[in-house]
Amino acid sequence: MTEIQAPKGVPEYFPPRSQAFLRVREALSAPAEHAGYEYVELPVFEDTALYVRGVGESTDVVSKEMYTFEDRGGRSLSLRPEGTAGVMRLVIEQRLDKGQLPVKLWYAGPFFRAERPQLGRYRQLQQVGIEAIGVDDPALDAEVVALADEAYRRLGLRRYVLHLTSLGCATCRPAYRELLQQFLAGIDLDDATRERATLNPLRVLDDKREEVQRQLVNAPVMVDHLCVECRTHYDDTRSFLRDMGVRWEEAPRLVRGLDYYTRTAFEFTHELLGAQSGIGGGGRYDGLMQSLGGDSLSGIGFGLGTDRTLLACEAEGIELGGAPRVEVFAVAIGDDARHVAARLLTEFRACGVNADMAFGSRGLKGAMKAADRSGAPIVLVIGDDEVAASTIQVKDMATGEQAAVSRAEVVSEVHARLGRLA
Ligand code: HAM
């Protein structure tokens, strides 16, 4: 065991699994790219105030799980726990909302939450996210949800469920919140939960304990108390989702862990992932931009968990494909031969053929073993004789046949053979 280890709760991806991780990340962003979302590269740390104001001081994510530190100038910075607040800050600061609306952006990378680590719950977690800002249109809500659904479907996932609800808005939520508080005051809760009921009553609906859930059967739910605008918005969103062929389950008790959500909210869970089943989630956040000092523009987006989506693919036995296969492998014995091989490799790579060679001086036997292990269908053997005669021995690894080909023709010869193999 090495003395220094990776920090607790931080997954790392290395071959061969790292290739599957890459495939998942590409698959999660592809539908959004095809729908006109443009890439943004965001800072990994920001002013702590961005998350306190944007995500919410009372959320677990901000109050308990943030990695906060002081920089050398005494400024309080935090590793980003999520991406939406950072995107809003960028849009405001770079004035991206002054052009055509909606602004449609996507991002990918690591986020940091000091949670208790377990399988599928990490302190460095990876997400692919999208945000659509500036147009309050139910068709856009449906697009965002549908793009997540399409990403999972394209990966071949089947055993996931989309949970959908509306969380209301600044008009209808306060009255509902009061109604829920009244209800919670009348049931038997421990002191900590009672305090939560005062601070954030919606969070109580998410309590996992059976004795609490049993008492919540008749609790009022937001969808029954939406204002007319929110009800229409939710009905229209669902109507567009039907147009887009998306299936969902109504989830009137869905609670998101971040404070900025309004109206449409959703989560995708996977049936085979146990306790950490949320593979992605998102929703609308109509007050966020203004609360961060920007214009009063609406927004909606999602964050899809790359780590958990990979786990879901593995749980369903989905083959994601390995690293690109080496097509030509050069075995060169002797200094001059190694220089010939280096030039040939460059030529092959320049015309798009995946090429590798035996490095180090391990002798013919060791080099042939490396060639075998590479899985390349064609191996080029070059020794002093070949250098002198300007030829290359071309070996077909499937049949074991070997033939001398002139140096000048070897690239086109190999190309032709690979074409026949393909
Ligand atoms: P979130 O639900 O907190 O939303 O995270 C989105 C996804 O990230 C989760 O569904 C899950 O797959 C993954 N995830 C979260 N925490 C962990 C963890 N500790 N370990 C592994 N995976 C995790 C957001 O972050 C919002 N910013 C999404 C959004 C974008 N809403 C609107 N726009």
Side-chain angles (χ1 to χ4, degrees):
M1 192 161 69
T2 52
E3 218 174 292
I4 302 176
Q5 299 181 336
K8 229 174 119 199
V10 172
E12 14 188 31
Y13 297 95
F14 47 88
R17 199 166 174 249
S18 47
Q19 201 62 38
F21 176 85
L22 269 184
R23 291 283 95 81
V24 168
R25 196 169 63 186
E26 285 162 9
L28 292 182
S29 62
E33 280 200 282
H34 291 298
Y37 289 73
E38 293 183 287
Y39 182 69
V40 283
E41 180 69 36
L42 299 162
V44 168
F45 54 86
E46 297 257 13
D47 190 330
T48 301
L50 173 67
Y51 303 117
V52 171
R53 264 161 67 189
V55 177
E57 206 162 0
S58 72
T59 61
D60 282 357
V61 168
V62 169
S63 67
K64 298 188 192 153
E65 297 167 359
M66 213 146 65
Y67 286 96
T68 298
F69 58 98
E70 231 177 57
D71 74 359
R72 282 158 204 264
R75 284 168 287 257
S76 179
L77 298 170
S78 293
L79 296 185
R80 58 182 187 186
E82 62 96 55
T84 311
V87 171
M88 286 309 113
R89 200 263 315 132
L90 170 94
V91 168
I92 298 168
E93 190 171 335
Q94 305 300 338
R95 303 171 60 81
L96 300 188
D97 55 333
K98 301 303 174 205
Q100 173 110 339
L101 297 177
V103 183
K104 301 213 280 188
L105 304 170
W106 76 273
Y107 52 90
F111 297 87
F112 306 87
R113 296 180 190 180
E115 298 198 73
R116 206 151 35 79
Q118 64 181 81
L119 182 68
R121 185 164 70 196
Y122 305 125
R123 292 182 170 173
Q124 176 173 315
L125 58 118
Q126 300 270 347
Q127 283 184 12
V128 170
I130 72 173
E131 312 294 347
I133 301 140
V135 177
D136 184 5
D137 180 346
L140 198 55
D141 297 50
E143 170 175 285
V144 168
V145 174
L147 290 173
D149 185 57
E150 190 188 336
Y152 295 135
R153 220 161 359 97
R154 285 239 193 134
L155 273 167
L157 287 172
R158 294 282 172 269
R159 305 198 48 188
Y160 66 89
V161 179
L162 163 60
H163 307 267
L164 182 75
T165 196
S166 171
L167 298 176
C169 67
T171 308
C172 52
R173 195 153 44 182
Y176 163 71
R177 196 170 177 270
E178 217 164 279
L179 201 67
L180 180 61
Q181 262 166 343
Q182 277 167 20
F183 175 87
L184 294 175
I187 63 172
D188 183 21
L189 297 171
D190 58 81
D191 289 348
T193 315
R194 191 153 296 295
E195 196 184 321
R196 199 173 326 141
T198 343
L199 281 171
N200 194 339
L202 268 86
R203 201 67 52 72
V204 179
L205 291 181
D206 201 28
D207 200 306
K208 300 283 181 282
R209 290 169 300 179
E210 215 219 303
E211 67 270 24
V212 178
Q213 279 305 326
R214 216 177 327 112
Q215 300 186 77
L216 293 176
V217 177
N218 295 319
V221 288
M222 185 72 240
V223 275
D224 292 336
H225 299 274
L226 296 174
C227 59
V228 177
E229 287 78 13
C230 284
R231 157 90 15 230
T232 309
H233 187 96
Y234 192 43
D235 288 345
D236 290 349
T237 298
R238 290 181 294 181
S239 164
F240 281 113
L241 279 174
R242 271 179 223 110
D243 293 337
M244 293 170 171
V246 176
R247 294 154 63 96
W248 71 90
E249 278 181 14
E250 292 292 330
R253 301 210 176 180
L254 180 74
V255 178
R256 300 278 299 137
L258 314 162
D259 271 356
Y260 47 64
Y261 290 109
T262 54
R263 294 192 166 172
T264 311
F266 57 94
E267 244 163 46
F268 288 85
T269 58
H270 194 272
E271 288 169 10
L272 305 179
L273 288 191
Q276 303 306 316
S277 63
I279 53 174
R284 184 164 272 287
Y285 42 85
D286 289 343
L288 178 59
M289 188 132 161
Q290 199 172 26
S291 76
L292 293 173
D295 290 346
S296 168
L297 291 181
S298 62
I300 177 155
F302 66 52
L304 309 183
T306 317
D307 314 271
R308 288 190 194 166
T309 306
L310 173 58
L311 289 171
C313 289
E314 289 167 346
E316 285 200 44
I318 293 167
E319 267 299 327
L320 292 163
R325 200 168 70 133
V326 174
E327 295 169 293
V328 183
F329 193 95
V331 166
I333 307 299
D335 265 355
D336 292 341
R338 283 160 52 78
H339 283 283
V340 171
R343 276 182 230 129
L344 272 178
L345 241 60
T346 308
E347 280 180 52
F348 277 117
R349 289 171 182 166
C351 61
V353 173
N354 301 336
D356 194 4
M357 69 183 271
F359 291 102
S361 46
R362 44 179 137 181
L364 184 62
K365 216 168 138 198
M368 283 311 288
K369 212 183 253 176
D372 213 28
R373 231 179 274 138
S374 79
I378 294 171
V379 172
L380 309 178
V381 185
I382 315 162
D384 290 342
D385 291 351
E386 284 73 28
V387 173
S390 279
T391 58
I392 309 288
Q393 293 289 332
V394 178
K395 183 170 181 182
D396 182 319
M397 294 301 272
T399 62
E401 277 167 35
Q402 189 168 314
V405 175
S406 91
R407 162 82 182 77
E409 279 161 25
V410 73
V411 174
S412 54
E413 166 70 19
V414 168
H415 232 293
R417 286 199 195 191
L418 287 171
R420 283 198 291 279
L421 286 174

